[in-house]
Each structure stands twice: as C-alpha cells, then as structure tokens.
Amino acid sequence: MVIFTAKLNKKRLFAVAAVIVIAAAAFLLSRPHGQPYDADDVLGSSSAEVGGIKTNEDRLAYISSLGYSVAAEPLSEKEVVIPETFDETYTQYNALQQQCGFDLTRYMGETVTQYVYSILEYEGAEDVQLELLVCDNKVIGGSVYTVAVDGFMRGLSS
C-alpha cells in the first residue's frame, strides 16, 4: 500500500487561487459587451471567429462592427468548398486570413457559405466588395476587395 501525503501551504494555495480568479476576470472583462462566444473562446483560442451569425441582420451587424457600411442585401450567397489541400493561391489567401486571426486550415474539405456584399463607400476605390465565409453560424474568414484589374484584396480587419 502506498500513502501519499502533502503539506498544504496556505500562502501558496491562496496565490494559485488568486491567479485563477484574476485570469477569469481578465477573460470576462476583455470580451466586448454582447459578443457571443463558443467553446474555442473558453479554451483560449486566438481565433477571430465570431459565432451567432444566423441571419442577414447578424451579418450586417458584424460588418458594421468592423466599420463598413454595405448594401442591405448580399450581391451573392453561395456554397463553396474549402479545398482539402491548398494550392499556392489558397495558401496566400489563408495567410491573409491568418493575419486577421482566422485560419481556414481548420475547415479543409468543409462546405461553407460565402456572402458577398457591396461596400457603399470606400475611400480611394470604387466597386469594393466585402466577402464573409460562414460555417455553422460562425464567421470563419473574409476579405475586402475590388474586381478591378489594378484592384486589391485585404483582410476584414486590415
């Protein structure tokens, strides 16, 4: 028979409990008011994914929170498949997503919904569009771009 004993140091126990309470308080206070969360948030993911995106109104509110003003209805809505393996183009696109806190490698092989909105006013450019990628009611990526020959593509938070 093995007996394990430990001497409990009250100061050390209090210090550990204080660190846990401070970490929990910091997590709760760092969340914007009313922002939904999912299990990744609790587990400490650094993802920019936002859950609770079920309706067009939810998408518009999210887009507005990024500082963009878009037309009330999307230009297009379609199902797209994130490739199971990324070619050079998709690798570059995912690098753009990663700069904004998203990572499409988690969704390789998945079917997601792509919503494209027309941005009403964008300084320095015309015909600018905003794309959202949504999977299971979560924004998992997106970009702002023009379709012009000399156009640009930026991440949602760039």
Side-chain angles (χ1 to χ4, degrees):
M1 177 163 76
V2 176
I3 298 174
F4 179 78
T5 61
K7 185 174 180 181
L8 188 60
N9 181 328
K10 289 183 182 179
K11 286 182 183 179
R12 185 172 290 162
L13 179 63
F14 179 77
V16 170
V19 168
I20 291 170
V21 168
I22 290 170
F27 171 76
L28 293 173
L29 293 174
S30 69
R31 300 200 62 75
H33 178 68
Q35 181 179 357
Y37 67 91
D38 59 25
D40 288 338
D41 295 330
V42 176
L43 297 174
S45 171
S46 61
S47 174
E49 294 177 1
V50 174
I53 307 295
K54 297 178 183 175
T55 66
N56 189 51
E57 288 75 26
D58 295 336
R59 292 188 299 274
L60 292 173
Y62 173 72
I63 292 168
S64 177
S65 77
L66 297 173
Y68 298 105
S69 177
V70 298
E73 294 297 323
L75 294 171
S76 68
E77 173 183 338
K78 65 182 178 180
E79 301 286 308
V80 296
V81 177
I82 306 294
E84 289 186 15
T85 57
F86 288 174
D87 61 11
E88 182 61 29
T89 301
Y90 234 97
T91 299
Q92 290 175 0
Y93 181 72
N94 194 48
L96 176 72
Q97 299 306 310
Q98 290 172 330
Q99 291 173 5
C100 299
F102 300 109
D103 187 1
L104 298 179
T105 59
R106 296 177 54 195
Y107 299 93
M108 292 173 127
E110 297 282 329
T111 300
V112 304
T113 306
Q114 176 193 57
Y115 299 93
V116 177
Y117 290 87
S118 178
I119 296 180
L120 299 177
E121 293 183 28
Y122 193 92
E123 189 174 328
E126 293 183 14
D127 298 324
V128 180
Q129 298 177 356
L130 185 144
E131 162 197 71
L132 289 180
L133 298 175
V134 177
C135 183
D136 296 329
N137 300 321
K138 287 193 305 190
V139 174
I140 63 163
S143 60
V144 174
Y145 61 91
T146 63
V147 292
V149 173
D150 61 344
F152 63 86
M153 177 179 276
R154 295 188 173 100
L156 289 176
S157 63
S158 297

